[in-house]
């Protein structure tokens, strides 16, 4: 019984390892090669990914294995231990294909799998070509002929030497082939006339011809297009979509810079009769020396040279550029809101929700398109590969269901719903477990709830404290709580009244200060007005006096100034106390110091 349980456990562990290996392969596809495919589809309009196709796993071919004690060829006993053992492992893989090296059947329409064949071009070095002689299915004699011939030096190859050097041009053919051609290449065939094959050609020589590793005969290629077109397997990308707005932006920007260059440098106009001092070409610049000819009709040199500044119309040209940018947003369906810019969206909860939904619309459409064109057929071929060549413990009936875009959208919607349900958790009528709710809330925020919960020791300590301090009678506890609530209410009420009185006092004080300030300003205005009126009356009397005595105003002001000066002198003399030259005995009465 124990042995059977151990065997079952090992079987489950093996299935889990195989499943993890499959997930690791899919993970690598989605995070390494798919980014390149999506970039190609956005820039060129079409991205191609190849998979699954067999490769030799050279990076993971060396394994640590336990080696028992065995005799060596010299008769010595080898010690037991762990040794590096190289195991040739063939596994499926995927990679991005340059769309410029991909040639499907021209009659395939908008689906490459509807055609009869597919050609792929690639380049290979001499070292890689030599290593293929050891691989299964390759014809070593043909490879030797290719190596003796060298790389093809046609015109196209010479043009590619700047990029690919002396590499060999290799072509991969996926399609149908007749039985005679396969037998000529050393492939064993049955009774059928045609077969789905894979042919590798270098220098117009077939170095490999085998059956398609997939029984379905499906081409190991998937095409992702940014925007599809009718009756063609290619699509158009963002660069093609914004071609017309880009022309408008280029033209407007060019005119903007030309206008800035012309407006930044004034245009100089020189009249007839102006010549250079040395008799050469007339040039206006730093340190230029010019003169007027004797027969020039212009006498003033400043009128012979003038400058005109061309106005810079930046705002008008920028309006054209903004119009082209708006046109590009409308054509591509990628507004600035997709980049996180709010624009005119309202700064409210509904506005932010609308902003987030609009920002994800294009990405969801791209994800759904990718699921339909790449994810489902690509993973289906991996599933077929595992069913044909995988471990028996991993085989089973599975259905490929791509939910990449919908799962992300639903996950975000669930996150918002979980956070909104927080107000209903503590209501006992709904019978919701707060502990489970908080776990889901932390999970939605990508946090581990265990880091925030009490440890087992803390829970035991809290239980011990609860046992030492048992709960009171519910009625007494309720009365205490009611008293606490009432006391808290009274305190809040007193604080509120106090704050209200303080606010009222502050308002009254502010009003009083404003009233005093207003009165002071009004008094100052009245005083200034009274001064102005006195000044006007004085001016009018002066005018009347001048008219009656026929004396000018200046003379009256002069006489007034002299009279005022005399009065000032008398005032100063009356206030000054002089010391007499001799002082008689005794003291004279006030005002009789000189008489007595």
């Amino acid at each position: 019984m124990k042995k059977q349980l151990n065997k079952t456990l090992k079987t489950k562990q093996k299935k889990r390892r195989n499943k993890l290996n499959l997930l690791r392969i899919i993970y690598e596809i989605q995070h390494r090669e798919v980014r390149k495919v999506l970039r190609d589809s956005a820039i060129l309009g079409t991205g191609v990914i190849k998979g699954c196709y067999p490769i030799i796993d050279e990076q993971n071919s060396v394994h640590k294995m336990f080696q028992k004690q065995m005799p060596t060829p010299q008769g010595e006993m080898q010690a037991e231990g762990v040794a590096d053992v190289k195991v040739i492992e063939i596994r499926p893989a995927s990679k991005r294909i340059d769309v410029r090296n991909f040639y499907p059947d021209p009659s395939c329409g908008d689906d490459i799998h509807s055609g009869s064949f597919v050609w792929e071009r690639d380049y290979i070095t001499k070292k890689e070509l030599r290593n293929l002689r050891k691989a299964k299915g390759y014809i070593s004699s043909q490879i030797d002929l290719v190596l003796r011939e060298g790389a093809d030096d046609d015109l196209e190859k010479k043009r590619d030497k700047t990029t690919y050097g002396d590499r060999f041009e290799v072509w991969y053919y996926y399609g149908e082939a007749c039985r005679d051609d396969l037998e000529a290449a050393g492939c064993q065939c049955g009774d059928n006339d045609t077969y789905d094959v894979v042919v590798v050609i270098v220098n117009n020589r077939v170095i490999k011809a085998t059956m398609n590793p997939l029984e379905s005969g499906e081409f190991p290629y998937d095409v992702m297009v940014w925007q599809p077109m009718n009756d063609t397997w290619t699509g158009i990308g963002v660069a093609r979509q914004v071609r017309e707005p880009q022309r408008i932006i280029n033209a407007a920007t060019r005119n903007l810079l030309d206008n800035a260059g012309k407006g930044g440098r004034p245009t100089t106009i020189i009249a007839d009769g102006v010549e250079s001092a040395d008799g050469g070409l007339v040039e206006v610049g730093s340190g230029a020396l010019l003169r007027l000819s004797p027969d020039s009709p212009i006498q003033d040199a400043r009128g012979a040279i003038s400058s005109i500044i061309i106005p810079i119309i930046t705002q008008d040209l920028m309006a054209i550029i903004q119009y082209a940018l708006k046109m590009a947003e409308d054509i591509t369906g990628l507004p600035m809101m997709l980049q996180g810019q709010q624009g005119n969206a309202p700064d409210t909860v509904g506005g932010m929700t609308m902003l987030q939904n609009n920002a994800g619309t294009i990405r969801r459409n791209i994800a759904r398109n990718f699921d339909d064109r790449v994810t489902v057929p690509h993973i289906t071929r991996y599933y077929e590969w595992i069913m044909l060549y995988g471990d028996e413990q991993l085989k089973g009936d599975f259905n490929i269901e791509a939910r990449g875009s919908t799962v992300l959208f639903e996950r975000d919607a669930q996150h918002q719903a979980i956070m909104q349900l927080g107000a209903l958790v503590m209501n006992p009528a709904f019978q919701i477990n707060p502990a489970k709710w908080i776990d889901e809330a932390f999970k939605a925020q990508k946090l581990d709830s265990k880091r925030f919960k009490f440890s087992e020791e803390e829970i035991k300590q809290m239980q011990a404290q609860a046992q030492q301090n048992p709960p009171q009678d519910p009625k007494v506890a309720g009365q205490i709580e009611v008293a606490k609530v009432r006391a808290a209410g009274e305190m809040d009420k007193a604080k509120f009244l106090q704050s209200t009185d303080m606010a009222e006092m502050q308002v009254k004080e502010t009003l009083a200060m404003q009233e005093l300030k207003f009165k002071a300003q009004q008094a100052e205005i009245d005083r200034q007005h009274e001064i102005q009126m006195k000044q006007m009356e004085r001016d009018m009397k002066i005018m009347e006096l001048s008219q009656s005595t026929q004396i000018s105003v200046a003379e009256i002001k002069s006489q007034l100034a002299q009279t005022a000066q005399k009065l000032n002198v008398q005032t100063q003399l009356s206030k000054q106390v002089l010391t007499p030259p001799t002082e008689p005995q005794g003291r004279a009465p006030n005002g009789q110091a000189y008489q007595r």
Side-chain angles (χ1 to χ4, degrees), residues 502-535:
M502 291 296 293
E504 185 177 358
M505 292 175 62
Q506 291 178 358
V507 170
K508 290 181 179 180
E509 184 178 356
T510 304
L511 292 175
M513 292 296 294
Q514 292 180 354
E515 185 177 359
L516 292 175
K517 185 177 180 181
F518 175 76
K519 289 181 178 179
Q521 293 177 353
Q522 192 65 30
E524 180 66 21
I525 292 172
D526 294 341
R527 189 177 67 83
Q528 293 292 336
H529 181 264
E530 185 177 356
I531 293 173
Q532 293 177 359
M533 293 299 294
K534 295 289 186 180
Q535 186 70 25

Side-chain angles (χ1 to χ4, degrees), residues 554-566:
E555 292 177 354
I556 293 173
K557 289 183 177 180
S558 177
Q559 293 176 2
L560 290 174
Q562 292 177 2
T563 304
Q565 187 175 6
K566 291 179 180 180

Side-chain angles (χ1 to χ4, degrees), residues 305-362:
I305 300 176
S306 61
S307 298
I308 298 177
I309 299 177
I310 299 176
I312 300 177
I313 51 175
T314 304
Q315 297 298 328
D316 298 335
L317 294 174
M318 284 300 299
I320 298 176
I321 295 175
Q322 293 298 328
Y323 166 73
L325 293 174
K326 182 63 171 59
M327 183 188 297
E329 294 179 4
D330 296 338
I331 292 175
T332 58
L334 299 174
M336 290 299 178
M337 190 177 295
L338 183 61
Q339 304 178 16
Q341 298 185 15
Q342 181 177 351
N344 296 325
D347 191 8
T348 59
V349 177
M352 292 297 101
T353 303
M354 181 179 62
L355 175 66
Q356 185 176 3
N357 293 335
N358 292 339
T361 300
I362 303 300

Side-chain angles (χ1 to χ4, degrees), residues 74-93:
Q74 290 78 14
E76 299 178 356
M77 298 300 295
Q78 187 177 9
E80 295 182 355
V82 179
D84 294 337
V85 179
K86 188 173 182 179
V87 179
I88 298 177
E89 182 180 358
I90 298 176
R91 68 173 181 87

Side-chain angles (χ1 to χ4, degrees), residues 438-575:
I438 197 63
D439 289 340
E440 293 296 330
F442 278 116
K443 188 185 298 182
Q445 297 290 342
K446 298 181 180 180
L447 298 173
D448 187 6
S449 60
K450 295 181 180 179
R451 296 186 302 168
F452 301 90
K453 291 185 177 181
F454 291 111
S455 62
E456 295 183 358
E457 296 180 357
E458 292 175 344
I459 293 175
K460 292 180 180 179
Q461 185 177 1
M462 292 171 62
Q463 292 176 353
Q465 292 179 357
Q467 291 178 359
Q468 294 177 0
N469 301 320
Q472 300 177 355
D473 188 5
K475 293 183 179 180
V476 177
Q479 294 175 357
I480 294 174
E481 291 296 330
V482 170
K484 289 182 179 179
V485 171
R486 289 179 179 176
E490 293 295 335
M491 289 293 294
D492 295 339
K493 183 178 179 180
K495 291 180 180 179
F496 176 74
L497 293 176
Q498 184 179 2
S499 61
T500 304
D501 295 339
M502 291 296 293
E504 185 177 358
M505 292 175 62
Q506 291 178 358
V507 170
K508 290 181 179 180
E509 184 178 356
T510 304
L511 292 175
M513 292 296 294
Q514 292 180 354
E515 185 177 359
L516 292 175
K517 185 177 180 181
F518 175 76
K519 289 181 178 179
Q521 293 177 353
Q522 192 65 30
E524 180 66 21
I525 292 172
D526 294 341
R527 189 177 67 83
Q528 293 292 336
H529 181 264
E530 185 177 356
I531 293 173
Q532 293 177 359
M533 293 299 294
K534 295 289 186 180
Q535 186 70 25
M536 290 176 65
E537 291 178 358
R538 175 177 174 274
D539 294 340
M540 290 176 66
K541 289 181 179 180
I542 292 174
M543 292 297 294
E544 292 176 357
L545 180 62
S546 64
Q547 290 178 1
S548 61
T549 60
Q550 295 182 354
I551 301 175
S552 63
V553 177
E555 292 177 354
I556 293 173
K557 289 183 177 180
S558 177
Q559 293 176 2
L560 290 174
Q562 292 177 2
T563 304
Q565 187 175 6
K566 291 179 180 180
L567 292 174
N568 289 333
V569 171
Q570 292 178 0
T571 302
Q572 292 177 359
L573 290 175
S574 64
K575 292 182 180 180

Side-chain angles (χ1 to χ4, degrees), residues 104 110 141 143 396 420 425 527 539 550 583 586:
D110 58 356
S141 59
I143 295 177
Q420 292 175 0
V425 173
R527 189 177 67 83
D539 294 340
Q550 295 182 354
E583 182 69 28

